[in-house]
């Protein structure tokens, strides 16, 4: 039995907002199955009492002084936008039609 | 004047200081070299001829006016296309960012500019730094200057190929699992991954934020150290930046005395799966260091075996989250915005068209590893393995000053050989990944050519956190001893590239 099915891959792609073609799914699903078998090796390590490491170095919250600093102009911020209108990013509709 | 492109960065700096060459002449010589060989090598995605010459002219002007300049002022450099440079196209090797011109400089670029280092252009890479060959670039594969039918390594294959082809004396790479060190090994050049947090990630298009580290690429140890010093140090714009002085890397590279240094050979990084010619050169280099006075012992790091699987859970998890920002709304590609499609549909269509196969594989894998029901078994367990790997390092450093291994299990492979076999591709980074997970400093230095294919082999050194200087000490000792044997650094053995006009 595969560690991940074609249907599961299709579901994950939808969650990740990637529209996949049937050909891509045929290609990706068996590869992901192999990769998941490889990464599944981590379960062989006895680590129940081991604390997780999310980061190599000890992390502390970092704050900066609450002072005004220069930032991008609206023109700069919008310079890479696929579409802009009235100094704003223009986006496709975000609500479903009735 | 002999060929300026054959000089080291330190030599070029000396020529400028003594007035024997100008930065404009040096920059032009490298631009000409790019014009002559990059058709075959394809190290560059964008060459900024005008910008580079303007920077060079500015440095020459300052020098003429008697201004105090930094050690590498006027020396040209190739920049990996994953770091933002204001107004210069930055793609990270992806179609989704084609044509994007960032409105700001990354901290690394700011520091390069402040040091007067001339940026020649942006180098090719695997898309979003996901890969070990540059074959995942949306803009074609870079070719290894030692053998144009082979890959130069990745993800920073463009940066390492550029210096190996004498298109630039220096380059910047980024290392998340080996993307500076593995291409360094494959191209006979030096590649250093500084301590995580020792160089700033601000303006680096993120792959895995807890692993990404910018660092220097060069043809000599001293050049790498000079560049390291120019870009490293605390940056308030990066919340994981280390607020401590930069280790004395240049001093270590000039000194290179390993007498009394305790070196541990990692038992687990060798044997089955390692090419005989790689192991032979590696063991000879260890013997050489012993002759130079180092004390060598074997050290066991039992959890390194699980570094690769842990990495391929942690990295895709972080990447799937980081790459969510490519949603077709604020920058980059937008597909299917026809007035009827919803924003969500436009995002999905854009990501389908804009991302390559490896990026999709890893985003889906990361999404899986983070999904409820799988989180503890995959991502949670991988984080625990990460702790055990860091403990292996800590224990080893109680006994020795640095650890060593081959940089890669094999030499550079043929273009196309592993592109459809993700697992074979991932195994390239067996030796380099543990240092990313633990955050320590590590580097690859050239140590010879494998007998079976005549291709470069890399010697991998791993030093404790913020002991980056120890890397350069070992690298410099090895480099000068080998250069004495060979009558020059390894790069002098590289075949001449055909020059086109």
């Amino acid at each position: 039995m595969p560690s991940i099915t074609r249907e599961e891959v299709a579901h994950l792609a939808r969650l990740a907002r990637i529209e996949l073609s049937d050909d891509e799914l045929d290609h990706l699903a068996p590869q992901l199955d192999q990769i998941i078998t490889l990464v599944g090796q981590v379960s062989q390590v006895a680590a129940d009492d081991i604390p997780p490491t999310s980061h190599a170095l000890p992390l502390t919250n970092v704050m900066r002084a609450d002072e005004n600093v220069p930032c991008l102009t609206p023109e700069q911020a919008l310079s890479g936008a696929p579409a802009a209108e009235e100094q704003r990013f223009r986006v496709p509709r975000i609500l479903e039609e009735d | 004047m002999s060929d300026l492109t054959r000089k080291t960065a330190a030599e070029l700096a000396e020529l400028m200081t003594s007035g024997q060459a100008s930065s404009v002449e040096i920059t032009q010589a490298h631009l000409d070299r790019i014009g002559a060989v990059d058709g075959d090598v394809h190290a560059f995605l964008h060459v900024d001829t005008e910008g580079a010459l303007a920077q060079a002219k500015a440095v020459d002007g300052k020098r003429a006016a008697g201004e105090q300049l930094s050690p590498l002022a006027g020396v040209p450099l190739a920049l990996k296309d994953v770091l933002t440079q204001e107004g210069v196209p930055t793609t990270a090797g992806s179609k989704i960012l084609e044509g994007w011109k960032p409105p700001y400089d990354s901290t690394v670029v700011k520091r390069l500019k402040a040091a007067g280092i001339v940026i020649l252009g942006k180098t090719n890479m695997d898309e979003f730094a996901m890969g070990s060959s540059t074959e995942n670039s949306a803009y074609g594969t870079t070719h290894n200057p030692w053998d144009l039918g082979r890959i130069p390594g990745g993800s920073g294959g463009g940066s390492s190929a550029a210096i190996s082809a004498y298109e630039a004396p220096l380059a910047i790479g980024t290392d998340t699992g080996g993307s500076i060190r593995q291409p360094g090994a494959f191209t006979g050049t030096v590649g250093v991954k500084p301590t995580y947090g020792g160089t700033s990630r601000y303006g680096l298009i993120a792959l895995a934020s807890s692993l990404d580290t910018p660092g220097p690429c060069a043809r000599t140890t001293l050049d790498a150290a000079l560049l390291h010093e120019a870009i490293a140090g605390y940056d308030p714009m990066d919340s994981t930046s280390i607020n401590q002085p930069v280790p004395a890397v240049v001093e270590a590279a000039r000194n290179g005395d390993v007498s009394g240094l305790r070196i541990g050979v990692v038992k687990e990084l060798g044997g089955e799966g390692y090419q005989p010619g790689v192991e032979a050169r590696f063991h000879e280099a260890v013997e050489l260091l012993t002759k130079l006075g180092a004390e060598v012992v074997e050290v066991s790091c039992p959890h390194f075996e699980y570094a690769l699987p842990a990495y391929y859970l942690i990295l895709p998890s972080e990447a799937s989250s980081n790459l969510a920002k490519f949603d077709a709304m604020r920058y980059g590609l937008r597909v299917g915005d026809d007035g009827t499609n919803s924003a969500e549909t436009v995002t999905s269509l854009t990501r389908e068209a804009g991302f390559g196969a490896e990026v999709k594989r890893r985003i889906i894998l990361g999404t899986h590893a983070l999904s409820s029901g799988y989180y503890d078994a995959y991502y949670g367990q991988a984080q625990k393995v990460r702790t055990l790997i860091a403990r292996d390092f800590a224990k080893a450093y109680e006994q020795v000053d640095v650890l060593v291994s081959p940089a890669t299990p094999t030499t550079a492979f043929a273009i196309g050989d592993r592109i459809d076999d993700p697992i074979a591709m991932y195994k390239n980074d067996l030796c380099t990944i543990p240092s990313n997970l633990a955050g320590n400093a590590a580097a690859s230095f050239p140590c010879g050519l494998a007998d079976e294919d005549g291709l470069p082999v890399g010697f991998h050194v791993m030093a404790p956190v913020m002991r980056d200087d120890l890397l350069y000490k070992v690298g410099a000792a090895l480099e000068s001893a080998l250069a004495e044997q060979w009558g020059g650094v390894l790069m002098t053995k590289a075949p001449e590239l055909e020059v086109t006009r």
Side-chain angles (χ1 to χ4, degrees):
Chain A
M1 195 187 128
S3 55
I4 191 163
T5 64
R6 195 177 183 280
E7 289 65 38
E8 283 173 307
V9 173
H11 174 66
L12 289 165
R14 276 193 299 277
L15 291 177
R17 304 287 181 271
I18 301 174
E19 187 78 35
L20 286 184
S21 67
D22 279 348
D23 281 353
E24 276 182 303
L25 271 174
D26 289 341
H27 200 68
L28 263 174
Q31 285 180 338
L32 280 165
D33 180 46
Q34 280 179 24
I35 296 168
I36 286 166
T37 305
L38 171 85
V39 298
Q41 288 172 18
V42 292
S43 65
Q44 296 165 12
V45 182
D48 284 351
D49 52 349
I50 304 296
T53 297
S54 65
H55 211 275
L57 304 172
L59 278 185
T60 47
N61 201 7
V62 178
M63 307 277 195
R64 71 164 174 85
D66 186 16
E67 288 162 2
N68 285 335
V69 289
C71 64
L72 298 180
T73 63
E75 290 70 30
Q76 286 174 319
L78 292 167
S79 62
E85 248 177 59
E86 299 174 24
Q87 282 208 351
R88 289 168 177 82
F89 295 100
R90 191 191 66 73
V91 302
R93 66 179 171 79
I94 53 170
L95 299 174
E96 292 303 316
E97 278 161 323
D98 292 329
Chain B
M1 177 79 46
S2 62
D3 188 350
L4 291 169
T5 63
R6 299 286 155 149
K7 306 281 184 202
T8 68
E11 288 166 351
L12 291 170
E14 178 54 35
L15 287 174
M16 285 183 276
T17 313
S18 60
Q20 295 176 69
S22 69
S23 177
V24 168
E25 285 166 349
I26 290 166
T27 301
Q28 189 59 56
H30 286 91
L31 290 167
D32 291 347
R33 174 73 180 170
I34 293 169
V37 301
D38 209 53
D40 287 338
V41 177
H42 190 44
F44 284 86
L45 292 179
H46 177 79
V47 180
D48 185 20
T49 304
E50 263 178 48
L53 287 170
Q55 280 178 285
K57 207 175 157 194
V59 173
D60 286 340
K62 285 181 185 173
R63 198 182 300 279
E67 275 188 45
Q68 186 71 35
L69 298 172
S70 66
L72 290 175
V75 177
L77 169 141
L79 180 67
K80 189 176 180 183
D81 201 28
V82 74
L83 287 151
T84 61
Q85 182 182 357
E86 188 180 344
V88 175
T90 301
T91 66
S94 182
K95 281 282 174 217
I96 213 160
L97 277 178
E98 191 167 18
W100 183 57
K101 290 183 183 171
Y104 72 107
D105 279 336
S106 53
T107 295
V108 167
V109 166
K110 261 190 203 139
R111 292 190 179 174
L112 292 171
K113 287 181 174 175
I117 295 169
V118 173
I119 303 171
L120 295 168
K122 308 297 291 286
T123 57
N124 197 16
M125 56 185 283
D126 288 293
E127 184 175 5
F128 291 112
M130 295 187 199
S132 309
S133 69
T134 72
E135 291 168 292
N136 294 329
S137 168
Y139 305 100
T141 304
T142 298
H143 299 257
N144 191 324
W146 286 77
D147 175 349
L148 294 171
R150 308 233 177 194
I151 58 94
S155 67
S159 283
S160 293
I163 52 175
S164 174
Y166 297 99
E167 294 171 292
L170 299 171
I172 294 289
T174 59
D175 194 310
T176 304
S179 288
I180 291 175
R181 292 164 285 160
Q182 183 252 18
F186 282 4
T187 58
T189 57
V190 176
V192 180
K193 181 200 93 70
T195 296
Y196 176 84
T199 46
S200 170
R201 291 183 295 108
Y202 180 68
L204 192 179
I205 299 170
L207 168 54
S209 303
S210 81
L211 305 167
D212 296 343
T213 314
C217 313
R219 290 191 294 267
T220 68
T221 305
L222 177 61
D223 281 4
L226 289 165
L227 181 56
H228 188 136
E229 196 170 69
I231 60 168
Y234 177 63
D235 178 19
M237 297 299 279
D238 175 355
S239 63
T240 58
S241 178
I242 297 175
N243 194 354
Q244 282 175 32
V246 177
V249 291
V250 173
E251 197 189 313
R254 288 192 198 278
N255 151 313
D257 178 8
V258 291
S259 56
L261 191 77
R262 297 169 304 163
I263 296 178
V265 176
V266 181
K267 194 173 90 181
E268 286 78 8
L269 301 178
E272 203 196 321
Y274 286 72
Q275 192 176 320
V278 169
E279 293 220 286
R281 290 302 89 79
F282 170 70
H283 288 298
E284 285 167 17
V286 171
E287 273 171 42
L288 197 54
L289 290 167
T290 312
K291 279 190 195 138
L292 293 170
E295 295 166 25
V296 178
V297 293
E298 193 179 73
V299 168
S300 175
C301 295
H303 297 97
F304 280 18
E305 185 189 343
Y306 299 100
L308 186 76
Y311 175 83
Y312 276 102
L313 286 164
I314 291 167
L315 177 135
S317 298
E318 293 191 26
S320 67
S321 163
N322 273 326
L323 269 61
K325 67 173 158 285
F326 297 102
D327 58 3
M329 299 300 139
R330 290 152 299 160
Y331 38 71
L333 188 70
R334 179 182 287 182
V335 171
D337 184 13
D338 60 2
T340 62
N341 283 327
S342 68
E344 198 175 309
T345 303
V346 168
T347 298
S348 300
L349 291 170
T350 302
R351 287 160 69 84
E352 158 68 355
F355 287 149
E358 180 65 15
V359 174
K360 289 173 184 166
R361 267 196 290 269
R362 293 202 199 180
I363 289 176
I364 291 170
L365 181 61
T367 307
H368 184 54
L370 293 175
S371 33
S372 63
Y374 292 103
Y375 184 94
D376 289 342
Y378 287 143
Y379 185 64
Q381 178 75 3
Q383 286 186 310
K384 290 177 175 184
V385 172
R386 190 171 184 180
T387 305
L388 291 168
I389 288 162
R391 287 181 183 178
D392 279 359
F393 271 113
K395 200 166 158 232
Y397 289 135
E398 286 172 10
Q399 288 181 61
V400 296
D401 299 308
V402 295
L403 294 169
V404 298
S405 74
T408 52
T410 69
T411 55
F413 44 93
I415 291 170
D417 250 17
R418 303 186 188 174
I419 190 63
D420 220 26
D421 186 351
I423 289 173
M425 191 69 94
Y426 295 170
K427 285 189 175 168
N428 266 292
D429 298 330
L430 273 178
C431 307
T432 47
I433 281 173
S435 294
N436 294 90
L437 292 174
N440 59 279
S444 174
F445 301 98
C447 67
L449 303 176
D451 295 323
E452 53 274 18
D453 52 24
L455 290 167
V457 176
F459 185 82
H460 188 221
V461 188
M462 295 160 269
V465 165
M466 288 310 264
R467 289 309 308 273
D468 307 44
D469 52 317
L470 293 177
L471 306 173
Y472 290 97
K473 189 183 259 213
V474 176
L478 194 61
E479 183 177 274
S480 66
L482 288 171
E484 212 167 287
Q485 279 182 16
W486 300 331
V489 296
L490 186 69
M491 270 306 302
T492 55
K493 294 178 185 241
E496 287 296 325
L497 290 166
E498 208 168 303
V499 166
T500 53
R501 289 186 198 283

